[in-house]
Amino acid sequence: MTAHWIGVGRRAHLRPSLYGMNEAKIALVTGANQGIGYAIATGLGALGYRVAVGARDAGRRETAVEKLRAAGADVFGVPLDVTGERHVAETAEMIAREAGRLDVLVNNAGISGQLGADWAQDPTTLDLDLVRTVVETNVIGVIRVTNAMLPLLRRSSSPRIVNISSSVGSVTLQADPDIEIGPVMAAYAPSKSFLNAVTVQYARRLADTNILINASCPGLVATAFNGFHGSRTPEQGAATAIRLATLPNDGPSGAFFDDEGIVPW
């Protein structure tokens, strides 16, 4: 059983829904070979979705596919580098051949960029090439993949897009001196702010369609992304994204959520 948020407060609550239980749906998760992406693929697979496992590294991708199939999930691997036009176009073509449509897109692939001591990225000494690299993956990659998949999403009766963001992308939280939001990360954090803004622009553009798009904050999850320094498991980090991926037709769009509800922009 899936659920969706009711209300708009910081602690909006969940209402159960039977959405998605009676029909096999198709999902693409980028960066799904490990960590949060793998947990999202696992969760959607457990709900009966057929999941396209997107990942750059062929070996890791196939290992993830084998593990997911062994656990009973209906999955297939797609070679996907979100920074490559050809990779993204070929993935769209592959999904079109395999499934004919796409019901869920989870834009999970992302990078932090090189970090200094204590994970810091000092804006006063920041390498501009690093900024470009982070934005290329975390923002432009999301736009590239989303636009390539839109024709397939439009074939769905209930398309959903979930962008994996972070609370460090919340300008409101970052600017509040009374909130501990972690180290200064002058490349990664603004890339997530940028992603949040892009999410809103998509929601505005798609407001007259049945496509719902939202951003999800997984929290500080212990994965290879951060050297396994986190207080949450990948499964915990995936939970909000899975809820957003399985929203009913009257669910929210153009918002930013974590486990507790709405995250301020």
Side-chain angles (χ1 to χ4, degrees):
M1 180 176 294
T2 58
H4 72 282
W5 282 272
I6 301 298
V8 296
R10 181 69 182 93
R11 294 184 177 272
H13 60 279
L14 295 168
R15 183 180 73 189
S17 169
L18 297 180
Y19 173 85
M21 291 187 66
N22 299 319
E23 179 186 0
K25 294 184 180 292
I26 312 301
L28 167 63
V29 183
T30 69
N33 61 290
Q34 62 182 349
I36 297 168
Y38 181 86
I40 293 170
T42 300
L44 290 175
L47 291 174
Y49 284 68
R50 187 179 186 205
V51 183
V53 177
R56 292 179 299 178
D57 185 278
R60 293 177 180 178
R61 181 177 63 250
E62 291 310 309
T63 296
V65 166
E66 290 172 6
K67 288 171 58 180
L68 287 162
R69 285 177 177 166
D74 183 3
V75 301
F76 60 98
V78 290
L80 179 57
D81 179 349
V82 302
T83 67
E85 296 285 349
R86 180 176 61 82
H87 273 270
V88 173
E90 289 177 351
T91 294
E93 292 171 2
M94 183 179 296
I95 293 172
R97 291 193 303 269
E98 287 277 346
R101 72 177 193 283
L102 188 63
D103 299 289
V104 171
L105 168 61
V106 181
N107 287 306
N108 167 74
I111 61 173
S112 63
Q114 184 175 356
L115 302 173
D118 299 321
W119 296 5
Q121 290 170 329
D122 187 343
T124 66
T125 58
L126 199 59
D127 183 339
L128 295 183
D129 286 337
L130 172 64
V131 178
R132 294 186 184 98
T133 298
V134 172
V135 171
E136 176 65 41
T137 297
N138 294 0
V139 182
I140 297 174
V142 169
I143 296 171
R144 180 180 291 116
V145 172
T146 300
N147 289 350
M149 301 303 157
L150 273 175
L152 294 172
L153 287 161
R154 292 183 188 278
R155 298 178 188 176
S156 171
S157 61
S158 52
R160 306 289 179 258
I161 303 172
V162 183
N163 293 335
I164 304 301
S165 184
S166 170
S167 60
V168 302
S170 168
V171 177
T172 299
L173 297 179
Q174 288 275 327
D176 190 334
D178 296 323
I179 295 177
E180 174 52 50
I181 199 66
V184 173
M185 302 180 75
Y188 177 71
S191 79
K192 292 302 185 180
S193 303
F194 194 171
L195 176 61
N196 289 346
V198 165
T199 302
V200 172
Q201 297 306 308
Y202 272 106
R204 293 181 62 203
R205 174 63 181 84
L206 299 171
D208 61 348
T209 75
N210 61 349
I211 300 175
L212 303 181
I213 179 170
N214 293 284
S216 173
C217 171
L220 186 57
V221 176
T223 67
F225 182 86
N226 58 20
F228 299 96
H229 295 294
S231 58
R232 292 165 60 81
T233 66
E235 292 73 24
Q236 289 173 318
T240 297
I242 293 170
R243 293 187 187 108
L244 292 172
T246 57
L247 285 171
N249 292 333
D250 63 349
S253 189
F256 185 16
F257 293 95
D258 65 8
D259 287 353
E260 297 182 351
I262 295 286
V263 180
W265 297 119

